Amino acid sequence: MDKKAIIQELRAWNDAVFAAQARPFLEPFGLTMRFDADVFDEDERQDTGCIALYKGGSVFEKEIIYWINYETMADFFIREDDCSQEACKEQMHINLFHVIGSALVEMFSDLYGQGDETFDASVDDLPESPLRSLLQGDGDPKQLSALSEEFAACHQDNRAEDSPLYRFCMQYIAQKPVADPDRVAITDDVCEVIEVFTTPTLNPEMFRRRVRSLMLSGLPQQEAEKFVATTPQKLELFYDVALGAFAIDAEAVGNTPLYNPYTGEEIPDETK
């Protein structure tokens, strides 16, 4: 198999392992992953000693950004004379979960000391000193790499429970509070939108204000009136079970801080 074919095989296994293994593992954390070479500089991508790169800090945006050095991996398989599908699958699994391990350690260590006494106690009670030190912010890069490597290898070999990081992940998920289904929040699970038509005779005041808004943006009055009369206003519905319903311009939801009109409290954005 030539190098180009090996790289294609690796990319295919990257997609397959992500869908079958990584995505289901990350869902309880509210996380996903994205392959993106552009966020890493040329020196990082040219480092043949590093096969999988994680973009530090991306986990806090609920998206683990990573890059795989397919060229270096292909060269390794050619040298070892093992370009089998099983070898490609195994290495992609290990690379993806090595990245996941690094990202989760960063996330957990950031949570430590932020006022969640239950979480802090779960870290302080860890019997494994390397993991405990890393989550308490006292570890070093070598410890992190070794821990992530162990985490990835154990997951690949179907003995995930042998990994201290994996066990802590399962403990963390089990302790996460179940979300209140009646809470007022912006979520991926519920999005109810209605369309409100506005014309000179139907909701005329809203029609006037929409036209005025477009005119202030530079649109001639005739064009603004035509657009507003033929394009319904989309509103996302919310319901505070203690106080009542309200609606917000759907375009604003998720793009700017929003507030419950009854309480004045900011509506949390829980979208992924």
Side-chain angles (χ1 to χ4, degrees), residues 142-154:
K142 288 184 178 180
Q143 279 187 321
L144 174 58
S145 181
L147 187 78
S148 297
E149 184 175 345
E150 178 187 41
F151 168 73
C154 289

Side-chain angles (χ1 to χ4, degrees), residues 122-143:
S122 68
V123 173
D124 295 338
D125 292 342
L126 283 169
E128 302 88 355
S129 59
L131 177 59
R132 185 175 64 248
S133 296
L134 283 166
L135 300 191
Q136 291 173 337
D138 299 329
D140 59 44
K142 288 184 178 180
Q143 279 187 321

Side-chain angles (χ1 to χ4, degrees), residues 49-65:
C50 188
I51 293 176
L53 296 176
Y54 160 63
K55 186 62 177 179
S58 62
V59 70
F60 303 124
E61 301 300 324
K62 302 298 182 182
E63 188 175 51
I64 299 172
I65 300 176

